[in-house]
Amino acid sequence: MPDVAFINGTFVPLAEAKVSIEDRGFQFGDGVYEVIRTYNGRPFALEAHLARLDRSAKALDLTQPYSSVVWTDHVLEGIRRAAYPEAKIYIQVTRGVAPRDHAYSAEATPTVVMTVREFHPLDKSIQAAGVEAMTVEDIRWGRCDIKSVNLLANVLARQQVKQARVFEAILVRAGLVTEGAVSNVMVVHGGAVATAPEGPRILSGVTRAVVLNLALSEGVPVQERFVSRSDLYAADEVILTGTTVEVLAVVRVDGKVIGNGRPGPIAQRLAASLRNRVD
Ligand code: PLP
């Protein structure tokens, strides 16, 4: 099956998709992106992802060349061409090619890139056992709500994760949990789910929103508030949410056992609800 690439309106084989060294995405990380996955060949929450792409672009004064309707056609066509049983769609829009200068011209033509590759969901045994995480100082900039391709702090955090042989970095700023390096974090205390509020400190996860709604519809109280590192350690359950991790229980943080060291009842319920929803 082919990995599919799409560049500035044209589908090409991945190896032929090239952008200029003067692209501002390459020079400055001046661009935004989205990652979408399919379930049973259909993109999950595509509208929400495209709406966030639009919000991210607008926040950077970057003119998106395609409406959500046009994007939807391109995404569906990419999925059709790749023909993978499950696919991961990566979209990136940069401010385009220009002689290197930090300031930009309003006339710059954005560069638009999409790839469609095979998606390998997390192993069922990992879902069932839960994962280990470590806390990492959140050194990101003040607009984490923008899904920008500037991911240096996340890159460094994920490298620490790799070296420590754990699953995810839980980012902590001034003693408070913000989110994961590639996921949102939910903390369960006394039957209620607490998670950092939307705003400049976190990415408004598409999965986060879906899972919070599922929790509410099941009568699980939801609190959008920051949780301290010590509350994280003392939690009954810690849960990661995200496009690639879905709902994933964390059973150990910084070597400390969470709850009884196994995925708890709320994580299991929310994971099952999400599964029902996507099926
Ligand atoms: N937070 C960060 C920093 C992320 O990079 C991601 C996804 O990549 C998420 C949260 C989860 O967002 P979503 O559920 O939209 O995939």
Side-chain angles (χ1 to χ4, degrees):
M1 302 275 186
D3 280 339
V4 165
F6 169 93
I7 179 158
N8 297 327
T10 312
F11 282 96
V12 291
L14 190 61
E16 287 171 25
K18 304 248 188 317
V19 293
S20 163
I21 61 164
E22 291 208 296
D23 193 277
R24 293 180 60 93
F26 179 69
Q27 294 284 348
F28 297 110
D30 188 356
V32 295
Y33 76 106
E34 276 300 322
V35 178
I36 304 146
R37 66 163 289 183
T38 63
Y39 284 98
N40 307 315
R42 287 197 303 274
F44 179 65
L46 181 58
E47 262 177 52
H49 281 284
L50 293 176
R52 186 172 63 189
L53 183 70
D54 229 32
R55 286 201 306 277
S56 296
K58 284 205 172 78
L60 296 182
D61 184 30
L62 202 167
T63 309
Q64 253 249 81
Y66 303 138
S67 66
S68 289
V69 173
V70 172
W71 260 126
T72 300
D73 283 347
H74 292 319
V75 169
L76 295 179
E77 176 63 11
I79 293 169
R80 194 191 64 74
R81 286 178 184 239
Y84 288 124
E86 297 304 345
K88 184 160 85 168
I89 300 109
Y90 176 83
I91 290 175
Q92 180 172 323
V93 182
T94 77
R95 208 182 302 272
V97 177
R100 190 174 188 283
D101 179 4
H102 287 62
Y104 55 86
S105 152
E107 273 94 63
T109 307
T111 300
V112 179
V113 161
M114 173 173 70
T115 57
V116 185
R117 295 163 183 265
E118 186 162 22
F119 179 66
H120 301 280
L122 215 56
D123 211 78
K124 292 239 177 341
S125 63
I126 296 177
Q127 292 273 4
V131 296
E132 185 164 358
M134 66 193 288
T135 57
V136 172
E137 194 59 31
D138 188 349
I139 59 167
R140 297 174 302 162
W141 73 326
R143 288 302 304 273
C144 302
D145 54 318
I146 300 172
K147 202 162 167 70
S148 141
V149 295
N150 256 287
L151 287 169
L152 269 181
N154 308 60
V155 164
L156 295 177
R158 290 294 299 173
Q159 186 63 13
Q160 278 184 258
V161 157
K162 185 174 167 189
Q163 281 163 354
R165 296 177 192 278
V166 296
F167 186 86
E168 175 63 310
I170 295 181
L171 305 177
V172 176
R173 186 188 293 263
L176 300 176
V177 172
T178 53
E179 61 182 328
V182 293
S183 60
N184 290 106
V185 176
M186 300 187 180
V187 174
V188 180
H189 261 294
V193 170
T195 192
E198 289 183 290
R201 291 294 179 216
I202 68 159
L203 183 75
S204 288
V206 168
T207 321
R208 172 190 181 279
V210 170
V211 170
L212 290 182
N213 278 328
L214 290 172
L216 286 173
S217 67
E218 296 208 4
V220 176
V222 167
Q223 302 161 354
E224 295 191 63
R225 62 175 174 89
F226 287 103
V227 166
S228 69
R229 189 197 304 257
S230 46
D231 283 347
L232 174 73
Y233 293 152
D236 299 327
E237 300 182 45
V238 174
I239 301 168
L240 305 178
T241 66
T243 296
T244 54
V245 301
E246 305 180 280
V247 171
L248 186 60
V250 176
V251 294
R252 210 179 263 267
V253 179
D254 294 340
K256 296 169 178 44
V257 173
I258 303 299
N260 64 6
R262 289 197 297 276
I266 294 195
Q268 290 185 39
R269 256 169 80 189
L270 294 176
S273 307
L274 183 64
R275 174 77 22 215
N276 278 340
R277 163 83 196 270
V278 300
D279 285 346

